[in-house]
Amino acid sequence: MIIYDTIIIGGGQAGLSVAYFLRRSSLEYLILDNQDKPGGAWLNTWGSLQLFSPTQYSSLSGWQMPKSKEDYPTKQEFLDYLTAYEERYSFPIKRNTVVLRVEKENGLFKITSSKSVYWAKTVVSATGTAQNPYIPSYPNQNKFNGLQLHSVDYRDSKDLIGKKVLVIGGGNSGAQILSEVSKVAETKWVTLEPPQFMPEDIDGRYLFIKANSSYLDNNTHNFEEKVSLSDIVQVESVKEGLKRGVYDAVRPFHAFYENGVIWQNGEKEAFHAVIWCTGFRPYLEHLYPLNIVENNRVITKNTRSIKEPRLWLVGYGSWTGFASATIYGVGKTARTTVREIQAYFKIDS
Ligand SMILES: Cc1cc2nc3c(=O)[nH]c(=O)nc-3n(C[C@H](O)[C@H](O)[C@H](O)COP(=O)(O)OP(=O)(O)OC[C@H]3O[C@@H](n4cnc5c(N)ncnc54)[C@H](O)[C@@H]3O)c2cc1C
């Protein structure tokens, strides 16, 4: 029986970032990933997706992403980079391996997967959020006869030609998908607040400079507040949508009815389809047997579980490190995570 020092669950950018720092240690580690090829959640996103982070802020630790053809990389360019990153560092990865359960047995972690059982002294969970899409609940939602699709299942607009479509959610996903769908369908956009677009002259770079400053300043914002981290970045499709005037947004409706939605003033409006661009929650089902998951969270100090101190969680969002759910931000939390793992094994970093 092999007992690994560390098993990383999830081979997306967060898992690879941890692996990058682990490979420089003497620890024996392995990555388990349920996909059949590199790319993590990026494999299952819509075709025309453009990253909102410019090339130099779409790079993982140790190796800069090659310059993209446009200001913002395409999904395919980022997938190519992740594939090359994995090859460059020859990370040990077992693919097509779904981790079903993590349990404790005889002081070790017993990791039961769809392939076999693995044993480890420490575990890093880096399973992301894509397998747990979030859809807010509205009255009579299940009575709506039209199509309901989360952005994670949206691929392209071809099935929506000539339809009337409601896009819900005021982030980058909502704005990019709305731009594409509005070329072939009649659309309406629902956002909680009036959407904020980042000015064209302040590009996505600013977000990441700001994210980095916030991190370095320990979250004290001692610089000019020009934009918010949640502002929509003007990638090509968004610029083009703005020119066409597709971004008039309205506030949420009251409820669904069979053919559409009922607005706050009681008026009904029919739609063929609703696209939920309403984000994700951490995917932590494999950790349930450890009894440490509450409300989709694990109590952590930085990335380390308080109740299970040989378990670390990387890449899930601000609760696992500032900007840790971004390509640029995850490197910092991966590095500190590996330092803590090395300290546990009493190895110098
Ligand atoms: C539409 C969209 C656009 C985004 N654009 C940007 C951007 O431009 N710039 C930026 O910095 N960030 C962006 N993000 C945010 C973030 O960078 C991505 O969400 C990123 O994929 C998160 O990486 P991750 O490694 O944490 O998770 P994932 O990429 O989801 O990787 C987790 C891996 O673990 C696997 N896995 C899950 N459960 C199990 C299990 N039980 N057993 C085995 N394997 C498992 C998954 O299949 C996956 O391969 C975007 C996010 C979305 C949704």
Side-chain angles (χ1 to χ4, degrees), residues 238-249:
V238 173
K239 271 189 211 160
E240 188 272 331
L242 280 166
K243 278 193 198 124
R244 277 190 292 123
V246 300
Y247 289 125
D248 273 342

Side-chain angles (χ1 to χ4, degrees), residues 265-285:
N265 64 5
E267 272 179 32
K268 289 182 169 178
E269 188 168 358
F271 290 94
H272 296 107
V274 170
I275 307 178
W276 297 98
C277 302
T278 39
F280 300 86
R281 297 286 183 266
Y283 182 73
L284 301 172
E285 279 184 24

Side-chain angles (χ1 to χ4, degrees), residues 142-207:
N142 52 6
K143 295 208 173 122
F144 176 57
N145 292 327
L147 172 75
Q148 289 194 56
L149 196 69
H150 189 276
S151 61
V152 76
D153 296 314
Y154 174 82
R155 291 291 170 272
D156 58 47
S157 60
K158 70 177 185 310
D159 291 337
L160 300 169
I161 296 169
K163 302 262 161 61
K164 191 166 170 194
V165 182
L166 188 63
V167 176
I168 303 174
N172 286 292
S173 303
Q176 287 192 29
I177 289 175
L178 179 70
S179 175
E180 183 165 274
V181 174
S182 62
K183 286 183 187 161
V184 300
E186 187 185 338
T187 52
K188 203 157 216 177
W189 194 23
V190 166
T191 62
L192 288 175
E193 311 283 342
Q196 300 297 322
F197 292 85
M198 198 168 304
E200 212 181 330
D201 58 327
I202 301 177
D203 64 19
R205 217 172 316 237
Y206 186 86
L207 280 183

